[in-house]
Amino acid sequence: QEHQKAIVDLDKAIAIDPQLAEVYMTRGTAYDSLKEYQKAIADYDKAIAINPQLALAYNNRGNTYNSLKEYQKAIADSDKAIALEPKMGIAYNNRGNAYKALKEYPKAIADYDTAIAINPRYAKAYFNRGNTYELLEDYLKSIADLDQAVAINPQFADAYYSRGNAYTHLKDYPKAIIDYSKAISINPQF
């Protein structure tokens, strides 16, 4: 509902000045939130055409390509965002997600490492790296990263759930149950 209202307002802003790259980018983000991915990509394309130096537009388009499972395009857009803004931690995180989806785990971990080095309080990067370690069956490293994610964001239900999975793999069922229960208390959808 709020994203639809934002789109209406952004449409008005574009009607007034169709050369504002940031407005197209913001509308693209609203479309992405509504899972209207093709409209999101069209708006990111327009933002980039207006301002080819807008790193966040490349990053956001790459994130949308991740959602569409177009991982090579996601990587290319993340590369462009990083080239324009080398300290953009979210671009490393998003590229790491694409590498993880392609099962290129060392590259994914390297990108999460960089995202965390840029922003040591980046809970999602710890979460993503922790999940990658779980895929590699390195459950202790997974738990260590997920510990960091929930320390930074105590309401991060997905991190509790993932840590519960890691504890389950280690057959530490009491800790797994605690984490699953915490995840459910935060988000009853689990």
Side-chain angles (χ1 to χ4, degrees), residues 87-161:
K87 295 290 186 188
M88 182 182 277
I90 192 170
Y92 290 96
N93 183 69
N94 290 343
R95 187 173 69 182
N97 290 340
Y99 283 133
K100 181 172 66 173
L102 293 171
K103 297 183 166 107
E104 295 185 37
Y105 302 131
K107 288 181 178 180
I109 289 170
D111 274 345
Y112 299 138
D113 289 347
T114 303
I116 291 164
I118 292 168
N119 178 3
R121 300 212 30 91
Y122 194 176
K124 283 188 179 181
Y126 284 106
F127 170 75
N128 290 324
R129 189 174 70 181
N131 284 336
T132 305
Y133 282 130
E134 182 183 351
L135 292 168
L136 292 169
E137 300 180 5
D138 191 338
Y139 304 118
L140 295 178
K141 283 187 179 178
S142 175
I143 289 167
D145 275 346
L146 296 166
D147 286 347
Q148 287 295 318
V150 299
I152 294 165
N153 179 1
Q155 297 301 305
F156 199 162
D158 289 335
Y160 287 104
Y161 183 81

Side-chain angles (χ1 to χ4, degrees), residues 24 38 40-50 57 61 65 77:
Y24 285 100
Q38 295 308 324
I41 288 171
D43 273 354
Y44 296 138
D45 289 348
K46 183 71 174 168
I48 291 165
I50 294 168
R61 187 174 68 182
Y65 282 132
D77 273 350

